[in-house]
Amino acid sequence: PLATMAADGEATNYALRPNYNHKFRPSKEVQDLLHNTVAGFLAGKTYSADSQQWAHDICDEIRKKLKGMSFERYKFVVHCTIGEQRGEGVKAAARCLWDSDTDGQAQDVFLSETLFCVTTIYAIYYY
């Protein structure tokens, strides 16, 4: 961390990189949070028109849980896609401009008889 003096004489810290122990990685803890949240929410549900609201609720719940973890100065983007399981293919792509040393992502796929759900967490370190 780099410290400078602010105009009021207070020391201000500017962290250019997260502490190694607080770096976002798709660790077991993050993967379990992601998988358990999605599976717990969608278990026993059948695909319906309500799936858009389900995706919003899943994203909100995951963001709340991530905020409770020790990832200081990270901004999170949670993306959830729910579709009907009909044997049709789905292709999707994402492009991000980020710092591969500090930023990261984790994803989980949930499948049932009637639906599929792909959830991705993007973690961006805020300099």
Side-chain angles (χ1 to χ4, degrees):
L2 174 69
T4 61
M5 295 300 272
D8 60 1
E10 293 286 323
T12 306
N13 290 326
Y14 296 98
L16 298 179
R17 296 276 183 249
N19 179 319
Y20 182 77
N21 295 328
H22 298 297
K23 233 181 226 191
F24 182 88
R25 290 183 209 82
S27 64
K28 178 163 176 35
E29 184 180 16
V30 171
Q31 286 297 137
D32 286 349
L33 176 148
L34 184 55
H35 179 75
N36 293 338
T37 302
V38 173
F41 192 87
L42 294 177
K45 292 196 175 168
T46 304
Y47 182 82
S48 72
D50 296 332
S51 65
Q52 181 179 359
Q53 186 59 46
W54 297 346
H56 287 277
D57 294 343
I58 289 169
C59 289
D60 288 342
E61 185 65 26
I62 290 171
R63 277 188 327 147
K64 285 179 195 171
K65 289 179 179 180
L66 284 169
K67 288 289 185 186
M69 299 175 80
S70 60
F71 297 116
E72 296 175 14
R73 299 183 60 128
Y74 271 93
K75 301 285 184 180
F76 296 104
V77 176
V78 181
H79 182 263
C80 180
T81 302
I82 298 176
E84 188 172 9
Q85 188 78 284
R86 293 174 45 183
E88 298 175 359
V90 174
K91 298 193 187 318
R95 299 279 188 251
C96 300
L97 179 62
W98 65 16
D99 183 345
S100 61
D101 185 45
T102 59
D103 304 337
Q105 62 93 24
Q107 72 176 18
D108 185 66
V109 177
F110 175 87
L111 298 172
S112 74
E113 291 291 321
T114 62
L115 62 86
F116 68 89
C117 176
V118 179
T119 309
T120 306
I121 299 169
Y122 298 97
I124 300 97
Y125 187 74
Y126 184 70
Y127 294 99

